[in-house]
Amino acid sequence: MTGTRLTAQSLTLAYEDRTVVEGLDLEVPDGKVTVIVGPNACGKSTLLRSLGRLLKPKRGAVLLDGTELARLPTRRVAQVVGLLPQTPVAPEGITVADLVSRGRQPHQRWWQQWSETDERTVAEAMERTGVAELADRPVEALSGGQRQRVWIAMALAQDTDILLLDEPTTYLDIAHQVEVLDLVRQLNRERGRTVVAVLHDLNQAARYADHIVAMKAGGIVAQGAPADVVTAELVQEVFGLASVVVPDPVTGGPLVVPGPPRAVAVPGQAVRDS
């Protein structure tokens, strides 16, 4: 690992005339697991897309090692930053092994299309994500959970210093969610990879993150260690949810327990509890 750093300075992101993120500053802690949380449509995925150079800033910049991301060669960015988007689409008819192998493209040259390192990295990525036995199956024939694990394997095969994951547990049952997040943590601990993930589950974020970024309405409300960020006050401010934060019986970190049910208005009926 080199001293790779990913930062955002005065970042404003928009889709045509609709501004989603405005004036945001962020420094991604190097060699740590950062998790971005927040309500729907707050700009989490938009920010991650910008960090992966999939979305050009309207104003401000994303910097990699102090250089504006947009000014770096595409191959250089792909060798350092890997991104798993929220809803990736596989080419029709492609097999699992072929899709995972595409993660090696940034590391290849015209005079060396495939190497033993490529072969070893792809095989390890498939083993780690539990899809090795699916190698010859068409991706389109897999279940949603299997497909998600294949995409994660491709991201791992890219073997980058920085890994960006947008809702990596989508479509996965609870057991596979834990497996994937344990794998992300293992990659970070054993190989020093910097990970930035968007998660909806605040308790998963608190359990696996070293650094949490809480967003609301296109800005950062709070960031820091889970114990400092995940409080009942923050949950109320960001999610509008009354809760109690107690120690996680496994990790000792913060665990969010929703508070009393809120009254819900039903048309034509008296207000009832949810």
Side-chain angles (χ1 to χ4, degrees), residues 16 42 53 116 131 139 147 153 181 221 224 227 246-247 258 263-264:
E16 296 182 348
C42 72
R53 210 174 76 164
E116 291 183 5
V131 299
V139 174
R147 283 197 301 270
L181 293 173
V221 176
V246 299
V264 176

Side-chain angles (χ1 to χ4, degrees), residues 24-274:
L24 182 145
D25 292 312
L26 174 66
E27 182 171 306
V28 176
D30 210 34
K32 304 292 185 181
V33 176
T34 294
V35 177
I36 305 173
V37 298
N40 291 338
C42 72
K44 303 185 300 295
S45 294
T46 298
L47 172 59
L48 201 74
R49 283 169 54 84
S50 179
L51 294 177
R53 210 174 76 164
L54 290 186
L55 181 63
K56 182 179 179 181
K58 184 176 181 180
R59 289 187 297 275
V62 176
L63 306 178
L64 179 63
D65 292 333
T67 300
E68 191 172 343
L69 205 62
R71 298 180 181 274
L72 291 170
T74 299
R75 180 181 294 274
R76 164 63 179 162
V77 174
Q79 289 174 344
V80 179
V81 181
L83 170 64
L84 177 63
Q86 195 173 87
T87 52
V89 178
E92 185 176 353
I94 193 170
T95 66
V96 169
D98 287 341
L99 182 61
V100 177
S101 296
R102 292 194 175 195
R104 300 303 302 161
Q105 288 180 351
H107 302 278
Q108 295 172 353
R109 297 292 188 271
W110 66 266
W111 65 86
Q112 185 180 14
Q113 292 300 305
W114 196 253
S115 68
E116 291 183 5
T117 298
D118 294 326
E119 192 74 35
R120 184 173 58 253
T121 303
V122 168
E124 182 180 346
M126 293 175 66
E127 285 292 339
R128 280 178 171 267
T129 52
V131 299
E133 69 276 9
L134 305 173
D136 297 325
R137 295 271 301 275
V139 174
E140 60 198 25
L142 304 180
S143 69
Q146 288 172 325
R147 283 197 301 270
Q148 188 70 358
R149 283 188 282 149
V150 171
W151 283 110
I152 293 170
M154 191 191 77
L156 296 185
Q158 195 172 337
D159 197 26
T160 55
D161 289 342
I162 300 173
L163 187 58
L164 310 178
L165 303 171
D166 194 357
E167 293 292 344
T169 56
T170 300
Y171 305 121
L172 300 180
D173 59 38
I174 185 63
H176 283 122
Q177 287 180 29
V178 171
E179 285 181 11
V180 165
L181 293 173
D182 282 345
L183 173 59
V184 168
R185 167 64 76 187
Q186 184 180 6
L187 289 168
N188 166 258
R189 292 296 187 257
E190 292 181 357
R191 305 191 180 186
R193 288 187 183 180
T194 299
V195 178
V196 184
V198 169
L199 293 178
H200 273 300
D201 190 314
L202 188 55
N203 283 329
Q204 286 184 343
R207 172 169 287 199
Y208 288 96
D210 299 303
H211 187 81
I212 287 183
V213 177
M215 293 185 63
K216 180 181 179 182
I220 295 176
V221 176
Q223 61 178 313
D228 297 328
V229 172
V230 182
T231 63
E233 292 76 16
L234 179 117
V235 174
Q236 179 67 59
E237 178 182 0
V238 172
F239 296 94
L241 176 68
S243 66
V244 177
V245 177
V246 299
D248 185 313
V250 175
T251 67
L255 179 69
V256 178
V257 180
R262 293 177 297 177
V264 176
V266 178
Q269 299 182 20
V271 173
R272 61 180 177 83
D273 283 343
S274 60

